[in-house]
């Protein structure tokens, strides 16, 4: 049996019921979304699962100022959404290279966020696109930014009795674009390093930027120095070559079985440069491809 | 869901089984047949299909979602049954490789895998064919790149993917020709 | 006049494919027997340790546990995991090495020599109970100093890993001519060293054995094995069971690649079933299969080559140190086999093969059997020689290549003559397909582009001594033919290829052949599936049996019709007149007549044995066109052309399948597959998440080309192909990379990081 210690299973039909179950259960209860991460290995510390399939959290709603993505939305559904494809390219790019097509039919964005692994592909785009996470608690809703959510490898601020309900993505106006790049050892891999870049333009120059890198620090990190250095420039190969090393001031890569720290450091500059150019090219074309 | 409470040892089909968790009742349709089964929470769908329903065409190779040998079609989508909790299949409609052909006729994908010698050891074949079936159901004219993406989660150690990709493209063409003729 | 081939050379559909595409095919792991128990293995938490004490009491007390066994419970009989018979085990190693050093494995031992070595086994009612019981076995270890790398194991202060060998090393020398004199003749001498990585087979079906015990004492074992007969003999020798009481069956098998050319868990499984007198299943997890099972030998190779101004190679000296792991197994063979994979006519040749014991799981047979490693060293160095001396790499190879009529170099002691070699055509077709002499324009200024190739030669059947197989053909009374063969189909398609040979040689239609293979009670003896031997060695046995069946058919047909046997021939299910092809009588009628009406009624049932007269090598050249990203070090193979020369392709589609699959495995070996160990000797990436094998999206445009040059000794001219096809892959990629970057890579795999580091340190980029 895959989960050697799990004995109980709950499948509540509404959020209230789910929250009260989570709060009253006295042993270790884990929230089960797609299961693609939880069921990879035996988690012998888990006593029960709470399945969120009946909570109605599988949706993508387009509103005036936000896109609302239910936490139980699969990456397959994210990839089918035209608004995300067109205007939130970084998230779409990340989703298409997350695991493989069959896994994306089950894996959810909430699951990827809550697993909180430093290499999670959907996470840098959520930083770069200024996403807001809505957490449901027994005392009501909390809104947090990704920067506040992640605490370390597989660690986040979610406490027992809390459920990540929804991800809000702002809808941007004007000239903007975003892109994502992943370095991997082969296809269908966990990232050696990944990056998402968002830029907004004013008069062909970058007026706002957000850059987030994964797998190069205990959590996904923003490259704020590099973000600032981009303001007011029209990026090109040579200009970027002078400043992308700033990215190294934001990261603290380690060596592990997937890569050495040295390579992660070197490659961060390169993918920063390339992804800034991709995001800029999308922005200049007003995301019309 | 009805629960059978955890007990120490019960006799099950005449064999001794140690029950380690509560059993949960699930109803599922597999290859067109309705089943009611009692499963453990920690059990995978692959396990239920193989051990409870005897559908050993569902192969388990890596047992952690990497290789795709256990791929089945659930509610119209290709999924990896070794990382799906069996309890999640409650109410689901599932196709395994055993349900792809009729006793009289193979599916064009199966025929093309035979024609193109796309089968060697055959252990990845059921999963790969089902991943391809799910692709062709949603995309009648896939490009080679789309075929490669659809089976990107299916590891084959024998063929180098050359002949499987060709077989899938052939099958797509045949399915379109057959539909065009109607 | 040569009879036109009707079945051989055609893309006959595989017999087993329909079962595999419908899910009907049953593999070992699909067998569930009533009352079957589950066995699990407890593994050592140290790379090197003595077991001081064992307490099984807590494990035995657990509900559902049927047996717990340790070294104290199993027979203390040594065996060699390679499975070879006693006569063969020593191979080429010096006579001074006693056989006890090579037969070095116990079922379970009181010492652990690698991290995760089996220490104990549990049998229980289910997997969870068995796993739980493993945690309840109390073992006290005395931890010893360990050595996991070649350098650590041959250091002065290295621990003794393998009883009886000082320096943890066994050295064998193989030579021809006099290298010292040879180097004196040379105008240039090149010396290089290479490090080749280990590799995991990653058969898609995990290793699994199921043993069923019958009260009569009969044991039936179903197992994922390439060598059912070697397994049976070892069960008999180690567990003391007569062979008549052991039946070994290989069901459908999910890959082999050499991993199953050894004793895996079969002996232990049989021992446990005998002990609990119930069926026992012992299946590896993927982690056990990748992390703690056999692997390709990691090697350090030094190669020194002397060349004359005119491009003639006059001398070559090679020193190989191979990381054998803790047990002998195949290591002496694999290591020394590298001496006999050289396809160039080099008058002065010295090979020194050093088997180095370390505290790692044993290295064993893996497709190519040493050839990919030695091909890297030889072909990469030859490209460096060509570049430095300005020789055209293709002309240089052909200038030095062995030629038909010369001595066959696969065994330097045998007087075998090379009778077929299609290398020239491989070069011509491969170079054309890759566009070898076309301009090399990179797709962007961030990339470098290059083309390269590598050549290999591989044995057909074991080269150490003449090889052997047998086969049985039974003509049924309706004229259909049953082929019973001990040869194991691993997925490569030997059942189909051997059936084609049977049908062709008897003269029946392929649809009238039924094949049943690899069951020691019902099929005739075969050494197993390795050394690319089946089509050739087993194929020759089938062909001989077929010719005798055909002769019997013609004899009975003559009796039936009163015609002279000399005028009769068989074709597609009929006995025909030799001179005009007119049908005389159907084979179905002859078969019926033989059993029910003939004067001397008789079953046409022939078993034939075949001992090889030769070991004709197969050849191939693989070409690669690639680009490398100067900023990330990523290699993109734009096109890969695999040419293979298997004599005659019995079934071209199956041959292509071998070339294509081998290319994928070779590309993985070259670019991404790596086994990473901690300082403690524990593998850190024992799963398919972090042990990366090529997927559909990793594969380049891949073209396989079959070149034929039928060998007179092969059945219809056939030679082997499965192993040849992997040998040149990594070297071809490295040579294309050398062409692109001017850097001769010495260490593999060619990961992005390694490539980028080399580009930076050699100042190829800023």
């Amino acid at each position: 049996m895959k989960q050697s210690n799990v004995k109980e299973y709950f499948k509540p039909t509404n959020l209230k019921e789910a929250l009260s179950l989570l709060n009253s259960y006295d042993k270790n209860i884990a929230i089960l979304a797609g299961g693609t991460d939880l069921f990879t290995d035996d988690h012998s510390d888990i006593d029960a699962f709470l399945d969120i399939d009946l909570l109605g959290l599988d949706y993508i709603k387009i509103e005036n100022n936000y896109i609302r993505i239910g936490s139980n939305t699969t990456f397959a559904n994210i990839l089918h959404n035209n608004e995300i494809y067109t205007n939130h390219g970084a998230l779409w790019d990340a989703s298409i290279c997350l695991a493989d097509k069959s896994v994306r039919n089950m894996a959810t964005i909430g699951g990827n966020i809550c697993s909180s692994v430093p290499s999670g592909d959907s996470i840098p785009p959520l930083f770069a696109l200024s996403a807001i996470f809505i957490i449901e608690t027994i005392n009501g809703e909390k809104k947090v930014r990704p920067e506040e959510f992640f605490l370390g490898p597989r660690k986040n601020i979610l406490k027992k009795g809390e459920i990540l309900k929804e991800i809000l993505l702002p809808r941007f106006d004007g000239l903007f674009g975003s892109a994502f790049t992943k370095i991997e050892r082969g296809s269908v891999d966990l990232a050696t390093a990944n990056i998402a870049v968002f830029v907004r333009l004013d008069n062909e120059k970058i007026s706002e930027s957000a850059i987030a890198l994964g797998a190069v620090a205990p959590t996904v990190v923003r490259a704020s120095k590099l973000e600032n250095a981009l303001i007011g420039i029209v990026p090109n190969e040579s200009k970027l070559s002078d400043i992308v090393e700033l990215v190294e001031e934001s990261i603290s890569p380690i060596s592990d079985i997937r890569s050495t720290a040295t390579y992660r450091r070197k490659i961060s500059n390169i993918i920063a440069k390339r992804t800034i150019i991709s995001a800029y090219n999308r922005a200049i074309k007003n995301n019309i491809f | 869901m009805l629960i059978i409470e955890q007990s120490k040892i019960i006799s099950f089909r005449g064999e001794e089984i140690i029950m380690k968790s509560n059993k949960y009742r699930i109803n599922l349709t597999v290859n067109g047949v309705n089943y009611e089964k009692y499963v453990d929470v920690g059990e995978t769908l692959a396990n239920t299909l193989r051990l409870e329903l005897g559908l050993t065409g569902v192969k388990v190779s890596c047992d952690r979602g990497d290789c795709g040998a256990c791929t089945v079609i659930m509610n119209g989508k290709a999924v990896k049954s070794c990382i799906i909790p069996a309890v999640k299949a409650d109410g689901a409609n599932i196709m395994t490789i055993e349900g792809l052909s009729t006793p009289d006729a193979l599916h064009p994908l199966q025929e093309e895998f035979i024609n193109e010698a796309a089968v060697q050891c055959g252990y990845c074949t059921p999963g790969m064919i089902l991943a391809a079936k799910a692709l062709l159901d949603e995309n009648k004219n896939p490009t080679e790149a789309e075929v490669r993406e659809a089976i990107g989660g299916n590891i084959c150690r024998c063929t180098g993917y050359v002949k499987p990709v060709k077989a899938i493209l052939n099958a797509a063409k045949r399915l379109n020709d057959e539909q065009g003729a109607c | 006049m040569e009879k036109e081939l009707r079945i051989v050379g055609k893309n006959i559909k595989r017999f087993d494919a329909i079962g595999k595409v419908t899910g009907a095919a049953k593999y070992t792991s699909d067998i569930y027997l009533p009352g079957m128990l589950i066995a699990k293995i407890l593994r050592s938490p140290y790379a090197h340790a003595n077991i001081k004490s064992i307490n099984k009491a807590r494990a035995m007390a657990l509900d559902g546990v049927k047996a717990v066994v340790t070294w104290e419970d199993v027979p203390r009989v040594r065996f060699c995991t390679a499975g070879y018979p006693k006569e063969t085990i020593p191979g080429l190693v010096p006579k001074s090495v006693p056989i006890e050093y090579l037969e070095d494995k116990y079922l379970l031992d009181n010492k652990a020599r690698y991290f995760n070595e089996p220490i104990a086994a549990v049998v229980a009612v289910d997997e969870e109970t068995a796993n739980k019981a493993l945690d309840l076995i109390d073992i006290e270890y005395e931890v010893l100093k360990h050595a996991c790398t070649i350098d650590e194991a041959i250091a002065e202060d290295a621990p003794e890993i393998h009883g009886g060998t000082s320096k943890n090393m066994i050295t064998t020398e193989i030579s021809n001519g006099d290298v010292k004199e040879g180097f004196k003749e040379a105008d240039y001498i090149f010396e290089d060293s290479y490090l080749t990585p280990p590799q995991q087979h990653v058969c898609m079906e995990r290793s699994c054995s199921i043993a069923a015990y019958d009260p009569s004492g009969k044991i039936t074992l179903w197992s994922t094995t390439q060598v059912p007969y070697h397994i049976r003999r070892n069960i008999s020798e180690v567990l003391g069971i007569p062979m008549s009481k052991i039946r070994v069956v290989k069901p459908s098998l999910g890959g082999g690649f050499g991993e199953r050319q050894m004793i895996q868990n079969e002996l232990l499984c049989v021992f446990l079933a005998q002990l609990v007198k119930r069926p026992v299943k012992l299946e590896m997890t993927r982690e056990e299969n990748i992390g703690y099972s056999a692997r390709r030998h990691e090697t350090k190779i030094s190669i020194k080559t002397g060349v004359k101004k005119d491009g003639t190679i006059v001398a070559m000296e090679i020193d190989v140190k191979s990381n054998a792991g803790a047990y002998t197994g195949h290591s002496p063979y694999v290591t020394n086999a590298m001496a006999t994979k050289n396809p160039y006519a080099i008058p002065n040749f010295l090979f020194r093969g050093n088997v180095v014991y370390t505290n790692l799981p044993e290295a064993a047979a893996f497709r190519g059997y040493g050839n990919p490693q030695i091909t890297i060293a030889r072909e990469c160095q030859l490209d460096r020689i060509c570049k430095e001396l300005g020789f055209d790499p293709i002309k240089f190879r052909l200038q030095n290549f062995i030629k038909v009529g010369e001595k066959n170099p696969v065994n330097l002691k045998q007087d075998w003559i090379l009778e077929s070699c299609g290398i020239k055509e491989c070069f011509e077709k491969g170079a054309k397909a890759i566009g070898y002499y076309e301009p090399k324009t990179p797709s962007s200024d961030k990339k470098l582009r290059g083309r390269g190739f590598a050549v290999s030669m591989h044995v057909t059947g074991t080269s150490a001594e003449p090889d052997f197989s047998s086969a049985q053909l039974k003509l049924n009374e309706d004229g259909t033919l049953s082929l019973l063969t001990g040869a194991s189909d691993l997925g490569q398609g030997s059942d189909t290829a051997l059936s084609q040979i049977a049908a062709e040689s008897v003269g029946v239609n392929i649809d009238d052949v039924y094949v049943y293979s690899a069951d020691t009670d019902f099929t005739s003896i075969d050494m197993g599936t390795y050394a690319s031997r089946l089509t050739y060695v087993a194929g020759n046995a089938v062909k001989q049996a077929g010719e005798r069946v055909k002769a019997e058919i013609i004899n009975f047909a003559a009796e039936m019709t009163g015609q002279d046997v000399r005028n009769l021939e068989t074709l597609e299910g009929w006995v025909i007149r030799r001179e005009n092809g007119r049908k005389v009588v159907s084979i179905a009628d002859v078969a019926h007549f033989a059993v029910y009406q003939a004067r001397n009624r008789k079953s046409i049932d022939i078993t034939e044995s075949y001992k090889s007269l030769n070991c004709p090598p197969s050849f191939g050249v693989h070409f690669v066109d690639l680009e490398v990203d100067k900023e990330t070090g990523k290699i993109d193979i734009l096109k890969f052309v695999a040419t293979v020369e298997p004599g005659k392709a019995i079934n071209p589609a199956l041959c292509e399948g071998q070339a294509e699959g081998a290319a994928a495995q070779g590309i993985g070996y070259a670019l991404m597959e790596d086994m990473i160990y901690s300082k403690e000797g524990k593998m850190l990436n024992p799963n398919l998440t972090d042990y990366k094998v090529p997927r559909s999206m990793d594969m380049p445009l891949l073209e396989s080309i079959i070149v034929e040059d039928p060998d007179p000794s092969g059945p219809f001219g056939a030679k082997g192909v499965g192993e040849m096809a992997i040998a040149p892959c990594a070297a071809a990629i490295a040579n294309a990379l050398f062409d692109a970057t001017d850097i001769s890579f010495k260490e593999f795999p060619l990961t992005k990081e390694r490539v980028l580091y080399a580009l930076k340190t050699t100042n190829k980029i800023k």
Side-chain angles (χ1 to χ4, degrees), chain A residues 1 184 187 260 263 273, chain C residues 128 631-632 690 698 752-753:
Chain A
M1 201 161 43
E184 48 189 356
S187 63
T260 63
Y263 184 71
K273 184 176 73 180
Chain C
E128 292 76 45
E631 291 183 333
T632 64
D690 285 315
D698 298 314
K752 296 179 186 67
E753 182 159 6

Side-chain angles (χ1 to χ4, degrees), chain C residues 674-729:
Chain C
D674 203 0
M675 302 178 72
I676 304 164
Y677 294 93
S678 71
K679 282 200 170 62
E680 292 75 35
K682 183 187 183 191
M683 189 183 173
L684 297 175
N685 55 333
N687 54 56
L688 295 174
T689 310
D690 285 315
Y691 184 80
K692 301 298 291 178
V693 299
R695 294 169 179 272
S696 55
M697 290 185 287
D698 298 314
M699 287 300 293
L701 175 62
L702 172 54
E703 185 178 338
S704 58
I705 296 173
I706 297 173
V707 167
E708 293 190 333
D709 186 15
D711 193 273
S713 70
F716 304 100
K719 302 186 285 193
V721 67
E723 295 187 89
M724 202 311 294
I726 199 174
C729 296

